[in-house]
Amino acid sequence: MKKTAIVHPFFFSIFPVLFYISYNLNETYLSEITLVLLLTLTLPILLFFTSKLVYKESTKAGIIASLTLIMFFSFGHIFGTVRNLQILHMRIIIFFGMIIILFSCAYLIKKSKKNFNELTKTLNRISILLVLISILNIGIHLYRTLDAIKKNNDKELLLNPTEASPSKRDIYYIILDTYARNNTLKQTFGFDNTKFTDSLTKKGFYISNKSRSNFAITYLSIASSLNMQCINDINENEATEALYYKSKVVTFLKSESYKFILLYSGMGLTSYNKYADITFKSRTFLNIFKYNLLNTTILEPLIAKLINLENIKRSIILNSIYNLAEIPKIEGPKFILAHILCPHEPFIFGPNGESVQQNVNESISKQKEQYINQLIFLNKKISEVIDTILSKSKVTPIIILQGDHGTCTSFPNTKDWSNPTDNNLKERMRIFNAYLLPDGGDKLLYDSITPVNSFRLIFNYYFKTHYP
């Protein structure tokens, strides 16, 4: 009988990675995907040849290799499904349960006289099908991307652009995630933020004291800002892709010979963009993408013990602020997009930058205190980096400091926003919003400006466009 090629261990090894990537494409770099897949492919090779030493037969070795891989990559998913049952030592129970199943199957297969040729064919078909489904999902994602770009370009609103001034200013768009407006900080948190906003005013910033977000969720808020339009008429995927790839702001500034510089945020949407000329990546080898992928494997207990995700997030935030100070060294006009996931939870910074541990079961009052402590630290770092940018820039840059949305401490359940009250909405929609628009640009600003109009105003004043 002709033996069937044994390919299923290799397909079972890359399927979990492709599956994860297909649902987290915005979080990954091509170089990372390639490296992770190459490392993953070493597993079936090692398992197959190790099993062959024991079984002396390829079909049996292949089956055990695949079974081991399936268990290796499913541990985190199983634990994630049942962890809310709060059973004591759940990780240990699942781990040893898998070991017992694996060794039982290994023993039965070794004792069996069957050739397992038909089972090999079935496993080949299943593994190939799973990989093809993931590739199809990736293909659908790319198709939606191209479709969103086409729709976004079809809706172009730019009217009669003219040449920009020879002295083009750098444009910094710094999004401070969940940074609430001063009156919210005073009323809801009992914190007076005027020391920080007054210091910005002295640096030349205009503070929009009645500003609010156009949307209550990050991906919609930033997508609308970067496309200079409300996006109620497109669905979630289209809104995501419009931001993720080719926004109107980036398209216009690239046409004006600007370099698009992106700072890795740790959040999918604003961590990678193929249109960026320069991307400041995370300095940590184990970033959030790799951490989350490893958490789906049997290494999850080890990862939980040895690696602190909050330390990775601390590093990303601090690196972003550090990189902002380095950008003036880059020659030529630049558009900088920096989405800093702070003062957004987790609350991992004390008021002086010290590392703190957030307990998810903390009371609302304690969470408010931690939010303010983190905000105090962020204020210090942002104030320092603004001073550095201004001192190092040859021409005074345009700087937007803006919250993507406000806080949500007044919601009875932060996961259920189906019936928000007026107070809920006020807290969520009121945002911190500050602009440095040199040489008279600030004269066009007004207290109630919303982010969707930021770049319309900037382009009209500095680039002589005609946005309504």
Side-chain angles (χ1 to χ4, degrees):
M1 180 184 292
K2 185 179 178 182
K3 285 194 174 182
T4 303
I6 302 166
V7 297
H8 54 85
F10 300 96
F11 283 97
F12 278 128
S13 71
I14 63 173
F15 163 68
V17 180
L18 289 175
F19 177 81
Y20 181 86
I21 289 169
S22 69
Y23 287 97
N24 298 273
L25 269 170
N26 295 340
E27 295 181 11
T28 58
Y29 296 97
L30 181 61
S31 58
E32 281 186 336
I33 295 171
T34 305
L35 177 62
V36 170
L37 285 174
L38 286 173
L39 289 172
T40 304
L41 281 170
T42 62
L43 288 175
I45 295 171
L46 291 172
L47 287 170
F48 178 77
F49 285 106
T50 302
S51 299
K52 197 169 180 182
L53 290 174
V54 176
Y55 290 97
K56 313 297 182 185
E57 189 180 331
S58 296
T59 51
K60 290 183 177 182
I63 291 167
I64 289 301
S66 285
L67 182 60
T68 306
L69 287 164
I70 291 168
M71 291 188 171
F72 178 84
F73 283 107
S74 62
F75 178 91
H77 294 291
I78 294 170
F79 176 68
T81 302
V82 300
R83 69 189 306 167
N84 291 332
L85 297 178
Q86 297 182 335
I87 297 174
L88 195 63
H89 306 306
M90 179 59 78
R91 283 190 179 94
I92 296 172
I93 293 170
I94 296 171
F95 178 81
F96 281 104
M98 284 185 163
I99 294 296
I100 291 169
I101 293 170
L102 179 62
F103 277 92
S104 298
C105 291
Y107 176 79
L108 293 173
I109 288 171
K110 185 171 176 61
K111 291 295 182 181
S112 176
K113 303 297 182 182
K114 294 180 180 180
N115 62 23
F116 293 101
N117 202 46
E118 287 303 313
L119 180 57
T120 299
K121 288 180 181 178
T122 301
L123 290 174
N124 282 347
R125 294 188 191 105
I126 292 171
S127 63
I128 292 170
L129 180 62
L130 289 172
V131 168
L132 288 176
I133 289 171
S134 292
I135 292 172
L136 179 63
N137 284 336
I138 294 171
I140 290 170
H141 176 97
L142 295 175
Y143 171 79
R144 283 176 174 168
T145 296
L146 294 172
D147 189 48
I149 290 171
K150 181 178 182 299
K151 288 180 180 179
N152 204 36
N153 290 341
D154 288 344
K155 293 178 182 178
E156 186 58 59
L157 298 176
L158 189 61
L159 306 175
N160 305 318
T162 59
E163 288 189 13
S165 164
S167 180
K168 294 178 180 176
R169 303 175 186 277
D170 291 345
I171 302 173
Y172 290 80
Y173 186 25
I174 303 172
I175 302 158
L176 306 175
D177 205 299
T178 320
Y179 201 124
R181 207 163 76 190
N182 275 13
N183 57 350
T184 296
L185 294 174
K186 188 73 174 176
Q187 295 165 9
T188 305
F189 294 84
F191 178 72
D192 186 353
N193 199 37
T194 53
K195 181 180 178 181
F196 175 61
T197 53
D198 286 349
S199 72
L200 290 176
T201 302
K202 290 177 183 178
K203 293 180 174 74
F205 278 82
Y206 177 96
I207 311 297
S208 301
N209 290 311
K210 296 180 181 179
S211 190
R212 60 175 176 79
S213 177
N214 298 101
F215 292 92
I217 304 171
T218 298
Y219 76 85
L220 289 171
S221 176
I222 303 177
S224 64
S225 302
L226 288 176
N227 287 284
M228 302 181 288
Q229 66 185 87
C230 289
I231 49 178
N232 307 51
D233 58 332
I234 57 179
N235 64 34
E236 177 179 342
N237 285 319
E238 290 172 340
T240 300
E241 305 309 341
L243 164 63
Y244 178 57
Y245 281 107
K246 210 172 183 181
S247 69
K248 286 185 172 66
V249 168
V250 169
T251 301
F252 173 73
L253 289 173
K254 276 180 163 287
S255 76
E256 294 288 337
S257 301
Y258 272 70
K259 292 176 184 173
F260 173 26
I261 299 177
L262 179 68
L263 275 64
Y264 178 88
S265 69
M267 176 183 174
L269 292 178
T270 47
S271 290
Y272 169 73
N273 188 313
K274 71 176 185 179
Y275 288 97
D277 298 290
I278 300 171
T279 300
F280 283 88
K281 299 181 183 179
S282 168
R283 295 185 178 194
T284 57
F285 171 76
L286 190 65
N287 57 27
I288 292 174
F289 161 65
K290 292 173 185 171
Y291 178 91
N292 289 339
L293 185 60
L294 283 171
N295 262 345
T296 67
T297 72
I298 207 164
L299 299 176
E300 189 274 340
L302 189 64
I303 298 296
K305 289 288 184 184
L306 299 181
I307 299 170
N308 189 331
L309 178 60
E310 292 178 354
N311 285 340
I312 296 175
K313 292 180 177 180
R314 280 175 56 87
S315 176
I316 290 170
I317 290 167
L318 293 173
N319 283 340
S320 291
I321 295 169
Y322 171 83
N323 288 329
L324 278 170
E326 297 297 303
I327 285 172
K329 297 176 183 178
I330 301 170
E331 291 297 322
K334 302 169 285 293
F335 170 62
I336 300 95
L337 177 61
H339 177 202
I340 298 174
L341 292 172
C342 191
H344 188 286
E345 60 180 345
F347 304 122
I348 49 181
F349 293 103
N352 296 307
E354 64 271 29
S355 177
V356 297
Q357 202 76 19
Q358 180 185 359
N359 183 345
V360 293
N361 296 317
E362 293 281 15
S363 65
I364 292 295
S365 61
K366 183 64 176 178
Q367 289 179 42
K368 287 181 178 181
E369 178 188 337
Q370 291 176 322
Y371 172 88
I372 292 301
N373 286 339
Q374 187 148 286
L375 182 135
I376 290 169
F377 171 67
L378 178 66
N379 285 351
K380 292 175 185 175
K381 300 305 290 184
I382 290 299
S383 187
E384 290 170 4
V385 82
I386 293 299
D387 287 340
T388 303
I389 290 170
L390 294 178
S391 66
K392 290 184 177 180
S393 298
K394 295 175 183 177
V395 180
T396 304
I398 294 164
I399 302 176
I400 306 172
L401 293 174
Q402 196 171 82
D404 56 340
H405 52 70
T407 53
C408 59
T409 62
S410 62
F411 285 77
N413 180 351
T414 55
K415 294 183 179 179
D416 180 13
W417 295 1
S418 54
N419 294 296
T421 65
D422 285 347
N423 286 335
N424 297 153
L425 292 173
K426 284 177 182 177
E427 182 188 357
R428 186 64 177 179
M429 303 304 287
R430 290 173 173 174
I431 57 168
F432 168 77
N433 200 0
Y435 299 86
L436 180 64
L437 304 185
D439 293 344
D442 56 341
K443 293 176 183 176
L444 300 181
L445 290 166
Y446 48 98
D447 257 3
S448 60
I449 187 170
T450 64
V452 76
N453 283 312
S454 298
F455 288 99
R456 287 172 173 262
L457 185 149
I458 289 168
F459 290 170
N460 285 352
Y461 187 79
Y462 295 98
F463 297 89
K464 310 304 179 188
T465 57
H466 304 282
Y467 284 100

